[in-house]
Amino acid sequence: MSDARTQELARNLDAVRERIRGAAQAAGRDADQVRLVVVSKYFPVQDVRRLIGLGVTEFGENKDQEASAKFAELGEGERTGVRLHFVGQLQSNKAGHVAGYADVVQSVDRPKIATALARAAARHDRRLEVMLQVDLDGSDPGRGGVLPADLPDLARAVADTDELRLTGLMAVAPRGADPAAAFARLAELSAQVRQEHPDADRISAGMSGDLEAAIAAGATHVRIGSAVLGARPAQ
Ligand SMILES: *Cc1c(COP(=O)(O)O)cnc(C)c1O
């Protein structure tokens, strides 16, 4: 596809990749250590197809129904090699469904969700990568996330299952907070978790507005929506 929308996405993608490169370079890191997850929520499967054509392989979605319907529209050939990260808040009754199609669940924030995911993954004969979403300041429970004090128990709950592989931590910078300070705190928590779970070395942090701060603090995954796809339609 080389319609106007594809060209727009290509330009945005180039600009985001350039920001990632610049931020990695400024931090003395290799840009290859930072994976781009394009958050395609609210945008149609046609945009996902365009982005696949432009070389994007990792997508993020935050709503079960939207994510499952959208990615089910991809043909088997299109879906091959594409990894879908679920980044939204999960209820335990939805977790089972998400386990049927997501490759990574970044937003696990309580043992009940971990248990539901593991059970459903077993039923689907699948393995899931899991990141623990951390609530960095406790000021906005609506966004989800485990409080730092509860992180060790949650990490053990995930690591103790056969179906879930604990790969790291995820966070959203608290509203109004200095993102550099927030992501530095996340990096500290990541180091603590790795003492017990050395393979949980991924850090998903940084969105369109703060990816530079996240990469400076060691992010291995950035989750970018609007900087690639444009402003989201009103919710
Ligand atoms: C929507 C969303 C993003 C992307 O946000 P942008 O600011 O549009 O880049 C990243 N992470 C999560 C958890 C999201 O829900």
Side-chain angles (χ1 to χ4, degrees), residues 39 41 62 87-88 170 172 206-209 223-227 232:
V39 180
K41 65 188 184 197
N62 74 338
V87 302
M170 182 272 255
V172 179
M207 318 201 309
S208 294
R223 308 177 309 271
I224 309 298
S226 51
R232 283 184 282 280

Side-chain angles (χ1 to χ4, degrees), residues 18-20 22-24 27 183 206-217 222:
E18 195 48 48
R19 283 176 64 191
I20 292 172
F183 295 141
M207 318 201 309
S208 294
D210 57 16
L211 73 87
E212 285 83 1
I215 290 171
V222 292

Side-chain angles (χ1 to χ4, degrees), residues 107-207:
S107 44
V108 172
D109 63 359
R110 47 197 196 280
K112 212 176 152 186
I113 301 291
T115 308
L117 283 174
R119 234 183 251 138
R123 219 166 38 235
H124 292 287
D125 197 21
R126 301 188 75 223
R127 297 287 175 274
L128 286 179
E129 292 180 19
V130 159
M131 293 176 148
L132 309 181
Q133 181 178 351
V134 184
D135 178 352
L136 289 170
D137 75 347
S139 69
D140 191 354
R143 288 175 126 185
V146 60
L147 291 172
D150 299 325
L151 192 48
D153 282 347
L154 181 59
R156 275 176 220 127
V158 170
D160 284 349
T161 68
D162 292 327
E163 295 83 9
L164 309 181
R165 185 157 79 86
L166 179 63
T167 61
L169 302 185
M170 182 272 255
V172 179
R175 266 187 263 270
D178 168 19
F183 295 141
R185 174 82 177 117
L186 182 63
E188 262 173 42
L189 294 168
S190 166
Q192 281 173 26
V193 168
R194 270 177 285 146
Q195 289 180 4
E196 224 179 299
H197 310 277
D199 295 336
D201 58 357
R202 299 179 183 173
I203 299 177
S204 172
M207 318 201 309

